[in-house]
Amino acid sequence: MALLDLFLVVGIIAGVYSLLAIGMNMHWGDTGLLNFAHAAFFAVGAYTSAILTTPTPEAGLLAERTVGFDLPVVVGIVAGTVLAAVLGFVIATTSVRLEGDYLAMVTLSSAELVRLVIHNEAWLTTGAQTLKNIPRPMESTVATLPVSYDVFYFLLVWALVGATYLLFERMSNGPFGRVLHAIRENDDVALALGKDVTQFKLKSFAIGAGVAGLAGTLWAHYVYAISPVMFLPSITFLIWAAVIIGGAGSYAGAIVGAVVIVFLRQVTRFIPGSVPFSDQMSYLRLMLVGVVLVAVLYYRPEGLLGNAERLQAGTSEGE
Amino acid sequence: MVLDPQFIWNGIVVGSIISVSALGLTLIFGILNFINIAYGDYMATGAYLAFALNAQIGLPLGVAIVAGVAGMAAGAVLIDKLVFEHFRTSSPVTLLIVSIGVAFFIRNLIRAIWGPTGNFYDVPIEANPNLFGVRYSVEQLSIIVASLLLLTAVYVLLRRTRIGIAMRAASDDRTLTRIRGVDTERLVLYVWIAGGAIAGLGGIMLGLDAQIRPNMGFTALIPIFAATILGGIGDPKGAVAGGFAIGILQEVSVVVVPSEYKFAVALAALIVGLLLRPDGLFGEATR
Amino acid sequence: MTLLSVDGIRKTFGGIVAVEDVSFDVDRNEIVGVIGPNGAGKSTTFRLLTGFHTPDAGTVEFDGEDVTDHSPDARARSGMIRTFQIAQELTGMPVMQNMLLAAQGHPGERAVTSALGIGGTSAFEADQRDRAEELLKLLELWELRDEYAGNLSGGQRKLLELGRSLMADPDLLLLDEPMAGVNPDLTDRLLERILELRDQRDMTFLFVEHDIDAVMRVADTVVGMHNGAVLSMGSPEEVQSDDRMLEAYLGGEV
């Protein structure tokens, strides 16, 4: 594969991960919520869009799925985003009042429940098998252009990353983000100043989940085929690593962190020829992610683009 | 409707595994005050160590189990020295995220060494005997016996030994313990030894009951979390009770819910439990 | 005219009575001080008034409305703003952001208006900045407006907390031991401000305080508590000369 093609593939994955990290940064970076359900929002976005945009499979095929809508891709993308946001809202409703540790465990468990449903409800999702033939947006139109589809998709994904980044930056720096930051610092103060803390947490959860859903739709329409093993909790943990490495609280950091993580995972693709331990390479790369995450937390707890001064000031106790 | 005793038996087996595992997690939480996401991978490590000694080197299973448990206890201390020790003053959330990094490392190290596919211990395959209409296997019996032995041992440790009593005190109130001059670093060492050993045993039990896989511990975390929370995080007695409750509930639930969803029962128990009793089964309702 | 009316509130924790049958009224434009030795139930009373606890019995009425079951944030929105005993400024947020946070009814606190800057967000924000500037100058914190609150000194934090409460433009300001850990010079300044605000902004104050001298200097009415109950109530002089109060304090100190 030519180097440019490889760059485009990795770039598209990095864009999808960036969206996931932006959503997570709203939860953790802005609001201080321990969300461990990100993989579920990603999955719901992907499956919603896939189911809505593929036709009903013909009976008698291997796939047991009996539902399909054959709608335009854009409908799938919007619906996937919205449904992921709704799921975020629902999960948060049961758990957002809980203390941090409990919230982490409940969200992680909820995400596994979602995956369990996807895995078992084959009539809707093809179950453990692969849901195939997901259409790519504007594929026939792009085919008439002198550029490859990956160029188009790369630009599409990164345009969406850019737009999302701008919107989230504005939210975070505006009065809405101010309330979220106050909640991150101290729930009681926000309450005492008349902020409906639960309501803000629910909104934060839903908005961040929605972006993760958007990432899921983009993923599904790029890879043609999805299956439940793509949405294991390790996705959630990778995104956590991205946000922490990039610097919690910074949206630019979230994007940088996501790019770093994707690069770490994909870097050996760029090394031509055979390398020793090539079988183990993908595992070694994930071990490296672990090492980098711990090293960043130790040497640079604010992350690459985080705000060290805020972190310092934020830890000083009242007298 | 008569409940098939087979389900209860299965529940006790699963409950034993969850109880033991939850006990280790909750002990670590009690002293170190953070949720160790890598705990499931500690379990897998114990299982793989025993697997290497038993199926790969050919030692008898009993010896391999003891060595696997001891190995994981040492491993937990090693990981503490390499990683967690440098984060003693960090917030629980930072530690939780650090443990994510540790989990990534361990799980993929296991995959790199032993490969991603499932393995089995070298145990003789026999027809499962049948008692009063309940089919049971030797492995299942061993799991229950081992868990009872371990639970008794930990009970004695926490009730009768100085270090155990100090652990319980520290779990209740860390600053108070420090004021009283208890050497907290020593406590931390002991809790990693105990927690690591228990995790290793839990993982081996899990491997005996099903398969040895790199993500076996991680997948088992959800019911373990459920048991821990149900019992109140940091409460050993609660974790054990929660473990059996979740295990039995999960297995018996197949009577009413499709068996693919029996795991959802743990989650439902978790959420309902949290909403009703935020401080656990035996916790004092202070809210 | 009564602004806050507390009627027979009671709170127990695990069988131990913390507050028993406490009743008193706060009139508009009045300064009421709640005093008492340690363990008198002042803090619990404060939490019951501000909604951080719910009473087992009794009612709290604010501005003619029963707010007994209202959440802390709902009470704040209806015009009762509290401060914290230990200054709980948001340490990881700059001074100015702390101030702006307290603005009530900010149209930009909706996600959409915030992201798109619509719905009068910027105009409102500009107004609030002007108000914050005025208050910060008054409190001599203007130079520190971009500093993280966590980098402020203890006294500055107290002032910031007061300033932030005032940004919310409360009808009733509830102060939880505002003088605790504050040097006498700052105490004087804080008391001066309170008197000024009462006169200029037509505000009402209730404060729970351990420092009796401070209360005696500014309060119109003093509520003396002991063992979870109201022991003595009246003008500062009346309460001060009440032998039971003296006994309670002496007993409490031993």
Side-chain angles (χ1 to χ4, degrees):
Chain A
M1 208 191 270
L3 201 60
L4 176 67
D5 294 339
L6 209 50
F7 171 79
L8 288 173
V9 174
V10 174
I12 288 165
I13 301 174
V16 169
Y17 272 56
S18 294
L19 287 172
L20 287 170
I22 287 173
M24 180 74 89
N25 190 51
M26 164 138 286
H27 296 149
W28 172 243
D30 276 343
T31 327
L33 291 169
L34 284 168
N35 161 30
F36 279 90
H38 228 46
F41 307 139
F42 188 47
V44 165
Y47 271 93
T48 303
S49 199
I51 292 163
L52 288 179
T53 56
T54 47
T56 311
E58 286 169 45
L61 291 179
L62 189 64
E64 303 159 74
R65 187 158 70 101
T66 55
V67 181
F69 297 90
D70 208 9
L71 294 169
V73 171
V74 66
V75 175
I77 289 178
V78 171
T81 307
V82 170
L83 211 64
V86 170
L87 177 71
F89 191 86
V90 169
I91 289 182
T93 309
T94 60
S95 55
V96 87
R97 286 181 188 81
L98 300 170
E99 301 282 317
D101 292 335
Y102 289 98
L103 182 63
M105 292 198 198
V106 172
T107 49
L108 183 64
S109 307
S110 307
E112 280 293 90
L113 182 65
V114 169
R115 201 169 61 84
L116 196 68
V117 171
I118 291 174
H119 195 275
N120 287 312
E121 301 303 322
W123 60 275
L124 184 65
T125 63
T126 337
Q129 293 172 44
T130 312
L131 197 166
K132 294 197 194 77
N133 299 326
I134 304 166
R136 288 183 154 186
M138 299 172 68
E139 195 163 24
S140 52
T141 318
V142 177
T144 63
L145 300 176
V147 292
S148 75
Y149 190 79
D150 277 6
V151 172
F152 164 76
Y153 211 78
F154 179 90
L155 294 175
L156 173 71
V157 167
W158 279 96
L160 285 168
V161 172
T164 310
Y165 167 78
L166 286 178
L167 277 179
F168 275 66
E169 269 287 298
R170 292 195 58 141
M171 262 192 276
S172 177
N173 292 325
F176 177 69
R178 185 153 61 218
V179 179
L180 300 188
H181 297 163
I183 292 169
R184 174 187 70 201
E185 300 278 326
N186 189 326
D187 276 18
D188 279 353
V189 173
L191 278 177
L193 293 172
K195 313 303 172 191
D196 188 336
V197 168
T198 305
Q199 203 60 39
F200 277 97
K201 284 182 176 176
L202 289 176
K203 280 186 187 175
S204 165
F205 228 92
I207 294 169
V211 181
L214 174 65
T217 65
L218 293 173
W219 176 253
H221 290 289
Y222 181 63
V223 297
Y224 290 119
I226 53 174
S227 67
V229 290
M230 286 178 173
F231 305 98
L232 295 172
S234 47
I235 290 273
T236 302
F237 293 128
L238 278 176
I239 299 307
W240 264 94
V243 169
I244 300 296
I245 290 171
S250 157
Y251 283 98
I255 294 173
V256 169
V259 171
V260 167
I261 288 289
V262 172
F263 181 75
L264 283 177
R265 290 200 65 187
Q266 308 284 342
V267 61
T268 43
R269 281 204 196 190
F270 290 97
I271 302 169
S274 65
V275 274
F277 302 113
S278 55
D279 286 354
Q280 274 85 15
M281 209 36 101
S282 64
Y283 310 132
L284 294 181
R285 287 191 304 246
L286 282 168
M287 286 164 70
L288 188 63
V289 169
V291 172
V292 170
L293 177 59
V294 173
V296 165
L297 283 167
Y298 185 70
Y299 291 106
R300 201 178 163 86
E302 74 276 16
L304 297 177
L305 298 186
N307 185 336
E309 205 196 336
R310 168 172 78 75
L311 206 63
Q312 194 62 39
T315 50
S316 61
E317 296 291 320
E319 284 154 57
Chain B
M1 185 180 66
V2 181
L3 190 59
D4 188 340
Q6 184 71 47
F7 294 133
I8 308 234
W9 169 256
N10 294 350
I12 293 173
V13 175
V14 174
S16 302
I17 302 173
I18 299 176
S19 285
V20 166
S21 311
L23 179 61
L25 185 71
T26 224
L27 279 179
I28 295 172
F29 182 90
I31 303 295
L32 292 139
N33 199 28
F34 77 99
I35 297 172
N36 188 358
I37 293 282
Y39 185 79
D41 303 291
Y42 286 22
M43 292 171 64
T45 309
Y48 270 96
L49 286 176
F51 165 75
L53 295 171
N54 163 242
Q56 294 184 311
I57 295 179
L59 293 179
L61 187 59
V63 178
I65 289 176
V66 172
V69 168
M72 193 50 234
V77 173
L78 180 70
I79 294 165
D80 183 58
K81 295 285 171 218
L82 287 175
V83 183
F84 291 121
E85 195 184 76
H86 305 287
F87 293 92
R88 282 285 189 270
T89 53
S90 302
S91 70
V93 173
T94 304
L95 280 159
L96 187 153
I97 298 166
V98 168
S99 77
I100 292 177
V102 173
F104 265 115
F105 191 87
I106 301 178
R107 201 176 319 149
N108 290 290
L109 182 64
I110 290 174
R111 288 194 179 115
I113 297 175
W114 286 287
T117 48
N119 289 293
F120 294 95
Y121 289 113
D122 186 10
V123 286
I125 297 165
E126 290 162 13
N128 288 342
N130 193 312
L131 191 69
F132 305 121
V134 175
R135 267 178 299 103
Y136 65 94
S137 68
V138 180
E139 290 90 63
Q140 288 180 325
L141 265 186
S142 335
I143 286 169
I144 292 176
V145 170
S147 77
L148 289 179
L149 284 176
L150 179 99
L151 296 179
T152 316
V154 173
Y155 183 83
V156 171
L157 176 84
L158 290 180
R159 290 275 157 185
R160 297 269 180 268
T161 65
R162 278 195 48 175
I163 193 77
I165 291 163
M167 264 186 209
R168 282 198 300 145
S171 179
D172 288 343
D173 192 335
R174 276 198 86 166
T175 36
L176 193 69
T177 321
R178 196 170 301 136
I179 292 164
R180 284 182 183 159
V182 176
D183 181 353
T184 39
E185 271 307 306
R186 250 172 90 86
L187 269 186
V188 166
L189 176 71
Y190 282 111
V191 88
W192 280 121
I193 293 175
I198 296 170
L201 185 67
I204 293 168
M205 290 166 137
L206 204 57
L208 277 173
D209 192 46
Q211 253 189 15
I212 310 158
R213 304 181 68 93
N215 63 354
M216 59 190 278
F218 185 76
T219 357
L221 270 187
I222 309 290
I224 295 171
F225 279 171
T228 311
I229 290 183
L230 218 53
I233 313 187
D235 179 352
K237 197 171 49 177
V240 173
F244 279 106
I246 296 280
I248 293 170
L249 198 65
Q250 206 169 287
E251 295 303 318
V252 170
S253 72
V254 297
V255 178
V256 275
V257 297
S259 63
E260 308 91 80
Y261 284 111
K262 65 182 178 186
F263 150 81
V265 173
L267 180 75
L270 176 69
I271 291 173
V272 172
L274 274 176
L275 295 178
L276 294 182
R277 293 201 64 96
D279 303 301
L281 290 177
F282 303 110
E284 278 181 38
T286 50
R287 277 173 264 188
Chain C
M1 201 179 94
T2 309
L3 182 63
L4 179 76
S5 173
V6 183
D7 187 18
I9 53 169
R10 170 191 164 86
K11 182 74 182 174
T12 57
F13 295 105
I16 295 162
V17 180
V19 166
E20 173 83 79
D21 196 24
V22 167
S23 305
F24 59 87
D25 287 349
V26 178
D27 287 344
R28 240 176 231 288
N29 214 7
E30 194 183 15
I31 298 179
V32 172
V34 178
I35 61 165
N38 286 329
K42 304 188 298 285
S43 288
T44 307
T45 304
F46 192 82
R47 293 178 73 84
L48 289 168
L49 297 186
T50 52
F52 283 78
H53 283 330
T54 312
D56 302 333
T59 55
V60 178
E61 264 182 41
F62 178 69
D63 208 7
E65 194 189 355
D66 185 348
V67 297
T68 316
D69 296 323
H70 288 197
S71 61
D73 52 312
R75 289 186 207 209
R77 286 193 294 275
S78 60
M80 313 167 68
I81 294 288
R82 69 163 287 185
T83 66
F84 291 85
Q85 197 173 107
I86 297 165
Q88 294 272 4
E89 69 306 308
L90 304 162
T91 53
M93 286 168 73
V95 168
M96 187 49 127
Q97 295 295 317
N98 264 279
M99 296 291 284
L100 293 172
L101 175 71
Q104 297 296 301
H106 200 317
E109 284 179 6
R110 305 174 69 87
V112 176
T113 53
S114 203
L116 304 177
I118 53 171
T121 297
S122 36
F124 191 90
E125 183 85 353
D127 282 352
Q128 295 305 317
R129 277 186 188 275
D130 291 345
R131 286 188 57 219
E133 179 176 345
E134 188 189 325
L135 278 167
L136 286 176
K137 282 181 173 160
L138 187 78
L139 297 168
E140 293 166 31
L141 291 171
W142 175 242
E143 302 300 320
L144 296 165
R145 61 190 176 277
D146 294 325
E147 193 61 64
Y148 284 101
N151 297 338
L152 265 51
S153 73
Q156 288 166 336
R157 290 179 181 200
K158 284 269 181 191
L159 288 171
L160 172 57
E161 176 136 347
L162 180 65
R164 194 175 59 191
S165 318
L166 296 174
M167 273 300 282
D169 204 11
D171 298 320
L172 171 64
L173 186 54
L174 301 123
L175 303 154
D176 193 0
E177 303 214 4
M179 310 309 164
V182 171
N183 67 47
D185 182 46
L186 186 59
T187 304
D188 288 348
R189 278 167 57 205
L190 281 171
L191 291 177
E192 255 171 56
R193 293 272 176 268
I194 289 173
L195 289 171
E196 267 174 42
L197 288 163
R198 187 257 294 267
D199 297 338
Q200 292 169 4
R201 295 185 183 229
D202 197 27
M203 277 174 61
T204 310
F205 290 87
L206 179 139
F207 61 110
V208 163
E209 187 54 72
H210 196 69
D211 179 351
I212 304 179
D213 294 337
V215 176
M216 296 304 163
R217 278 164 58 192
V218 295
D220 305 310
T221 305
V222 173
V223 178
M225 289 188 70
H226 183 51
N227 286 340
V230 176
L231 193 64
S232 177
M233 193 163 22
S235 70
E237 294 75 26
E238 282 166 10
V239 174
Q240 204 164 19
S241 57
D242 191 327
D243 289 343
R244 292 173 303 177
M245 244 6 248
L246 187 66
E247 237 170 79
Y249 263 92
L250 288 176
E253 296 293 317
V254 175

